[in-house]
Amino acid sequence: MLLAGVSLMTAAAACSSVPSSSAGSRVVVTEHDFGLQASVSSVRAGAVTLHVVNRGPSTHELNFDRTSLEDGSLPLKPDGLTVNED
């Protein structure tokens, strides 16, 4: 099964990963109005720690859901941007 970062569908990946003192991968996710930026575009299977920083003036939410759907095929609401969580 694919673990899809629902909010990360539109994320622009940055340069490189951030080292972690614990086992597994560490990903820094910066939220801002109308977008996200992740420190890496993919990680290896296993433990992953997300460090989420909100740089926008509003409260943001980051959801992760397990799905068997292929990348880019999550159902969207009529706005074409928001994932239909129903």
Side-chain angles (χ1 to χ4, degrees), residues 16 35 79:
S16 61
D79 65 9

Side-chain angles (χ1 to χ4, degrees), residues 6-70:
V6 173
S7 295
L8 289 178
M9 284 178 29
T10 59
C15 312
S16 61
S17 65
V18 175
S20 174
S21 58
S22 62
S25 301
R26 182 170 190 256
V27 179
V28 177
V29 179
T30 303
E31 299 177 314
H32 47 88
D33 283 352
F34 306 106
L36 300 168
Q37 185 172 16
S39 60
V40 295
S41 59
S42 64
V43 294
R44 292 182 183 198
V48 176
T49 301
L50 295 177
H51 178 81
V52 182
V53 179
N54 182 13
R55 297 279 187 230
S58 304
T59 301
H60 290 86
E61 177 180 61
L62 183 63
N63 295 321
F64 282 85
D65 298 297
R66 183 179 299 267
T67 181
S68 59
L69 297 174
E70 296 294 322

